[in-house]
C-alpha cells in the first residue's frame, strides 16, 4: 500500500472545504493508504472526509512540559495541548507571506516531527501547511500546492528546499509560465475552484482604493526596455491630453522604477501613476481595474485577468501598434 499524507488547514481563508476535498481526491488511488493532518481540528471538515482516511493529531497540538522540579518523575506527565492559530496569520498566507514565516519560526521548535515515513506527502495550501511539510515530514516525495497565483519571494522558502523528486502544483497559468522555464518540478493543473479562490483572497485585502470617477489601469512594474518606458510615457501623456481621469497602478519592484519615476517627474505626470510596491495580494487592484496591460511575462497576471473577465492588452510587438489598441479602448472612457 502507498502511504499518502495530506496536510490541510480546514480554516484556510482562501480555500473552501469543497476545494480542499477536490485537491485530496486528485491524489487518491485504489492502492493508496490516505492520512490527513490538519493545522487545527475542525468538526465540519472531518465530517466531509472519507471514512477510509486516517486522521492524525493536528499540527497545532503541542506537548505540555513540567515547569517545576523536572527531575521529579511525578511531573513526567505529558499531554497534548491545542494551540490556536491567530486569524491574522491565516490572512497573512496571502497578504504578508514573510509574517507567516516569522510565526512559523517562533512555533517550529514546539511542533513535533512526524515519525511515520510516507511514500508521498501533500500540502494543500501555502503558509504553515507547506512549511510543516518542508521541515517536519519524512516522505519519499513531497508535493506543494499553491492554488492561488503567488510570486517568487513567496515561493522561495519552498523552492529553495525542493529535492529532485519533489513537485510544486499551481492552478495559475501566469505563475506556471513564469516559473516553469527550465524547471520541470513546476506543474500546472486546471482547477475549477480558481475563480472562487481569487474572490476569497481579494476580500482579505480590506483597503479601499477604487474611485469610480477614475479609469483604473493595472500593470506589473517590470518595464525592462527603453522603448517600453518611452511608450508608457507617451500613453500617459496622451490620456492626460485627452482629459481622461485615470490612475495607472504598478505592482511589484523593478530596478527601472527610479528611471520611470524620473521620466514621470520630468513630464509632470507623477500624479497619474501609483507604485504600490511589492505586495502579494494584488487581486483587489485587479478586481478594480478597467484594463490590464502586460509588458513582460515576469510577475504577470494575464490568467487572473482573463479569469476575472478583464480587458487585456499584451505589449508583445512594437509599442505603436499596441498604443493604437489602447487608444481605441480608452475612447469610451472620455
Amino acid at each position: 500500500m502507498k502511504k499518502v499524507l495530506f496536510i490541510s488547514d480546514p480554516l484556510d481563508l482562501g480555500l473552501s472545504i469543497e476545494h480542499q476535498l477536490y485537491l485530496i481526491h486528485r491524489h487518491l488511488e485504489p492502492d493508496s493508504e490516505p492520512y490527513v493532518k490538519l493545522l487545527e481540528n475542525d468538526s465540519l471538515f472531518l465530517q466531509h472526509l472519507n471514512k477510509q482516511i486516517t486522521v492524525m493529531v493536528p499540527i497545532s497540538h503541542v506537548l505540555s512540559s513540567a515547569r517545576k522540579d523536572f527531575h521529579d518523575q511525578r511531573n513526567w506527565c505529558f499531554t497534548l495541548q491545542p494551540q490556536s492559530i491567530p486569524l491574522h496569520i491565516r490572512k497573512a498566507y496571502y497578504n504578508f507571506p514573510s509574517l507567516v514565516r516569522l510565526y512559523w519560526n517562533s512555533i517550529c521548535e514546539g511542533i513535533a516531527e512526524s515519525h511515520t515515513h510516507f511514500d508521498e506527502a501533500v500540502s494543500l495550501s501555502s503558509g504553515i501547511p507547506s512549511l510543516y511539510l518542508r521541515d517536519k515530514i519524512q516522505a519519499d516525495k513531497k508535493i506543494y500546492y499553491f492554488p492561488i497565483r503567488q510570486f517568487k519571494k513567496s515561493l522561495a522558502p519552498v523552492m529553495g528546499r525542493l529535492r529532485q523528486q519533489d513537485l510544486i502544483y499551481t492552478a495559475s497559468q501566469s505563475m506556471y509560465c513564469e516559473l516553469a522555464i527550465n524547471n520541470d518540478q513546476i506543474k500546472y493543473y486546471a482547477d475549477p475552484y480558481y475563480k472562487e479562490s481569487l474572490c476569497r483572497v481579494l476580500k482579505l485585502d480590506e483597503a479601499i482604493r477604487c474611485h469610480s470617477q477614475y479609469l483604473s489601469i493595472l500593470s506589473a512594474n517590470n518595464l525592462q526596455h527603453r522603448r517600453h518606458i518611452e511608450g508608457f510615457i507617451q500613453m500617459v501623456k496622451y490620456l492626460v491630453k485627452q482629459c481622461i481621469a485615470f490612475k495607472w497602478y504598478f505592482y511589484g519592484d523593478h530596478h527601472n522604477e527610479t528611471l520611470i519615476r524620473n521620466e514621470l517627474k520630468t513630464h509632470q505626470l507623477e500624479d497619474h501613476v501609483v507604485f504600490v510596491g511589492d505586495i502579494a495580494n494584488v487581486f483587489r487592484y485587479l478586481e478594480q481595474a478597467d484594463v490590464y496591460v502586460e509588458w513582460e511575462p515576469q510577475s504577470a497576471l494575464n490568467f487572473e485577468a482573463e479569469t476575472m473577465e478583464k480587458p487585456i492588452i499584451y505589449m508583445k510587438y512594437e509599442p505603436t501598434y499596441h498604443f493604437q489598441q489602447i487608444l481605441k479602448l480608452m475612447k469610451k472612457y472620455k
Side-chain angles (χ1 to χ4, degrees), residues 94-320:
Y94 303 102
N95 292 350
F96 307 102
S98 59
L99 180 59
V100 178
R101 295 197 290 273
L102 288 173
Y103 180 80
W104 171 251
N105 291 338
S106 71
I107 67 171
C108 181
E109 187 176 345
I111 302 296
E113 291 188 27
S114 173
H115 297 294
T116 304
H117 187 92
F118 297 94
D119 297 292
E120 187 172 288
V122 184
S123 64
L124 302 184
S125 60
S126 56
I128 294 177
S130 63
L131 297 173
Y132 178 79
L133 173 59
R134 184 194 70 178
D135 295 341
K136 300 292 186 176
I137 294 297
Q138 302 175 40
D140 293 335
K141 183 177 185 179
K142 296 184 179 182
I143 297 176
Y144 300 86
Y145 271 91
F146 289 87
I148 300 298
R149 205 293 187 226
Q150 296 190 14
F151 303 106
K152 283 185 177 180
K153 285 186 178 180
S154 301
L155 272 74
V158 168
M159 291 190 68
R161 298 272 292 275
L162 283 181
R163 303 167 303 171
Q164 187 175 4
Q165 65 271 32
D166 298 337
L167 294 175
I168 288 178
Y169 274 105
T170 174
S172 168
Q173 290 183 11
S174 306
M175 181 173 159
Y176 173 76
C177 291
E178 178 181 9
L179 300 177
I181 301 174
N182 301 322
N183 190 339
D184 58 4
Q185 291 178 280
I186 311 294
K187 303 293 182 182
Y188 168 76
Y189 73 100
D191 194 329
Y193 293 91
Y194 195 65
K195 187 172 184 179
E196 173 191 295
S197 286
L198 279 179
C199 292
R200 283 172 168 265
V201 171
L202 67 86
K203 291 175 182 176
L204 301 178
D205 179 7
E206 298 172 356
I208 299 175
R209 308 176 186 87
C210 181
H211 301 282
S212 57
Q213 67 269 32
Y214 287 103
L215 168 71
S216 179
I217 310 169
L218 182 67
S219 294
N221 184 10
N222 58 6
L223 277 68
Q224 297 187 28
H225 305 292
R226 183 72 195 186
R227 71 178 189 275
H228 282 163
I229 296 175
E230 292 173 353
F232 165 67
I233 296 298
Q234 291 174 20
M235 186 69 249
V236 175
K237 290 171 69 175
Y238 175 87
L239 293 175
V240 172
K241 186 177 181 180
Q242 297 300 312
C243 299
I244 297 175
F246 73 98
K247 292 288 185 182
W248 198 319
Y249 295 92
F250 277 81
Y251 64 89
D253 291 326
H254 194 269
H255 62 269
N256 278 340
E257 181 175 324
T258 301
L259 175 61
I260 297 171
R261 285 181 179 272
N262 289 339
E263 288 288 333
L264 290 169
K265 187 174 182 179
T266 298
H267 297 282
Q268 298 182 329
L269 301 171
E270 59 265 44
D271 290 341
H272 300 281
V273 181
V274 181
F275 293 87
V276 301
D278 190 15
I279 60 174
N281 188 353
V282 72
F283 306 117
R284 178 67 78 181
Y285 285 96
L286 182 59
E287 180 203 34
Q288 296 174 350
D290 296 297
V291 61
Y292 169 74
V293 178
E294 182 173 309
W295 305 85
E296 300 285 347
Q298 290 79 20
S299 301
L301 288 175
N302 55 305
F303 179 66
E304 287 65 32
E306 184 179 306
T307 301
M308 290 187 176
E309 300 178 348
K310 299 291 180 179
I312 304 172
I313 294 178
Y314 297 97
M315 307 300 291
K316 292 182 179 178
Y317 307 106
E318 286 301 316
T320 304

Side-chain angles (χ1 to χ4, degrees), residues 9 39-40 60 83-87 89-90 93 103 107 128:
D9 179 5
L39 183 55
E40 288 186 66
S60 60
Q83 177 175 286
S84 181
I85 306 301
L87 178 62
I89 294 298
R90 287 193 161 91
Y93 287 1
Y103 180 80
I107 67 171
I128 294 177

